[in-house]
Amino acid sequence: RRMLKAGDEAPDFPVEETTLHSILATRKAVVFFFPKAFLRLTREAGGFRREDESLQRSGAEVIGVSSDSAETNQRFRQKLKLPYPLVGDPGGKIAKVYGVRLALLGLAKRASFVIGSDRRIQNALLDNFDPDAHVEQACSIVFGEPKPD
């Protein structure tokens, strides 16, 4: 399946006690996929942690999705003090419908999506080698121009 792109409708999935589409009823979302929790590379998760408050003020909710179980993601979230939810996708169903699943490994690729409250993807980025690019690009789309103070 091809990766979803700008203009496509974002498929719904559970996010803690709610769903992505419920969140989108009132705000934008930045959904980022990463392969596994506790890998050496945590810059992406940390970058979104640093920008979370500004993204929230700009009307965007950050949601991380990995191939781990909900329990593993919860431990990872606590260890890194992440203020946003992490969704477990051990079967790869969410990654598959977004077109970012590595079929042979059963892991998610590093990808991020900025999704508008109309449920349409505004920006999609696939970059397995530069985790910072996901944070930078998502922020530039959400903030539009200058970052809120």
Side-chain angles (χ1 to χ4, degrees):
R1 176 169 185 149
R2 71 165 176 80
M3 181 173 148
L4 296 180
K5 62 186 186 326
D8 289 341
E9 183 168 338
D12 199 16
F13 59 88
V15 180
E16 295 180 334
E17 289 83 38
T18 187
T19 66
L20 175 63
H21 285 182
S22 295
I23 292 166
L24 293 173
T26 59
R27 54 199 302 115
K28 292 179 179 182
V30 175
V31 177
F32 73 97
F33 288 82
F34 61 101
K36 294 207 58 78
F38 297 107
L39 289 179
R40 266 181 341 139
L41 261 173
T42 58
R43 283 194 348 234
E44 188 177 20
F48 280 117
R49 179 188 60 222
R50 281 188 304 281
E51 295 294 345
D52 184 69
E53 201 173 304
S54 295
L55 287 163
Q56 290 280 347
R57 282 197 308 270
S58 293
E61 184 77 32
V62 176
I63 302 161
V65 181
S66 82
S67 309
D68 297 292
S69 68
E71 295 78 22
T72 298
N73 272 338
Q74 188 57 30
R75 287 196 318 274
F76 185 60
R77 185 178 175 197
Q78 289 170 346
K79 180 175 179 170
L80 292 184
K81 297 178 174 54
L82 302 177
Y84 51 80
L86 294 180
V87 175
D89 185 29
K93 290 179 183 161
I94 302 168
K96 187 174 181 180
V97 297
Y98 277 78
V100 297
R101 186 167 185 264
L102 289 165
L104 291 176
L105 299 175
L107 300 175
K109 298 174 185 175
R110 279 190 195 281
S112 56
F113 299 87
V114 177
I115 306 165
S117 55
D118 62 355
R119 299 183 183 175
R120 296 273 165 211
I121 294 172
Q122 296 176 336
N123 186 69
L125 175 65
L126 175 66
D127 190 330
N128 283 310
F129 302 106
D130 185 2
D132 296 329
H134 294 278
V135 178
E136 290 163 12
Q137 199 165 97
C139 287
S140 72
I141 300 292
V142 170
F143 300 150
E145 290 177 16
K147 186 163 107 172
D149 297 331

